[in-house]
Amino acid sequence: MKKIVETHSREETLSLAEELSKTLKGGEVLLAEGELGSGKTCFAKGLAKGLGVQDLVNSPTFNLVKVYRGRDKSFYHVDCYRLEGVEEDRKDLDFADFLGEEDVITYVEWPQDGPKFLQDLKGVLRLSFEFVDENSRRITIDDTRK
């Protein structure tokens, strides 16, 4: 199922993500694509808030993966941005340790720059972020879960 939503502020983007978090049961993988500054990390913050994460959520660009604990699930925030063309780092990032685990929600920014298998995953939520104007974003949520 594909849904397209336009948000007109950071707060609306956070709220949309928080609402989406209520549909997550565990084991889901969300793949987020879009230009720099288009709202991917803002969306991650809303998801984390909805999952009950109390910690400050920020971009894991230099860490690659940040793990947060929510009410009853862990939130894995992955950023593959700096992996573009760096095959060694792609091998070092072992997604098998957490991808699809029933008590984990995995949110991957820049999946197109990560390991090839990410592009081929089935049963995921694919998120696309586009600029409409300075404050507005068009967010496409393509939910391929069964």
Side-chain angles (χ1 to χ4, degrees):
M1 178 180 87
K2 191 179 280 193
K3 177 180 178 180
I4 300 173
V5 179
E6 198 167 293
T7 61
H8 303 285
S9 67
R10 182 178 187 281
E11 291 73 24
E12 284 185 22
T13 300
L14 290 166
S15 180
L16 175 65
E18 194 171 345
E19 283 301 311
L20 179 63
S21 76
K22 295 175 184 174
T23 71
L24 305 177
K25 299 180 181 7
E28 288 91 351
V29 177
L30 296 89
L31 304 176
E33 295 185 9
E35 295 177 52
L36 282 171
S38 62
K40 297 178 300 296
T41 300
C42 179
F43 199 88
K45 291 177 182 193
L47 284 173
K49 181 180 179 189
L51 295 170
V53 172
Q54 299 294 313
D55 298 323
L56 173 67
V57 174
N58 53 24
S59 179
T61 300
F62 297 104
N63 299 63
L64 299 180
V65 180
K66 287 190 177 179
V67 179
Y68 304 94
R69 186 70 192 149
R71 278 183 299 282
D72 58 352
K73 295 174 203 53
S74 292
F75 179 63
Y76 279 59
H77 187 187
V78 181
D79 190 328
C80 297
Y81 181 70
R82 73 175 191 85
L83 295 183
E84 183 178 19
V86 184
E87 201 57 43
E88 281 308 306
D89 283 346
R90 291 180 190 200
K91 290 178 197 164
D92 291 343
L93 185 57
D94 193 359
F95 283 87
D97 290 343
F98 56 86
L99 208 61
E101 289 294 316
E102 66 183 40
D103 63 340
V104 173
I105 304 298
T106 305
Y107 183 82
V108 182
E109 294 187 35
W110 302 94
Q112 69 275 17
D113 293 341
K116 167 94 173 78
F117 78 88
L118 285 176
Q119 287 86 52
D120 301 328
L121 282 177
K122 306 290 184 230
V124 299
L125 287 103
R126 294 183 186 279
L127 308 168
S128 175
F129 295 80
E130 300 172 71
F131 286 97
V132 174
D133 60 37
E134 186 179 330
N135 296 310
S136 301
R137 305 293 184 263
R138 183 172 301 111
I139 303 168
T140 302
I141 303 169
D142 189 5
D143 187 347
T144 65
R145 299 175 291 173
K146 296 201 185 317

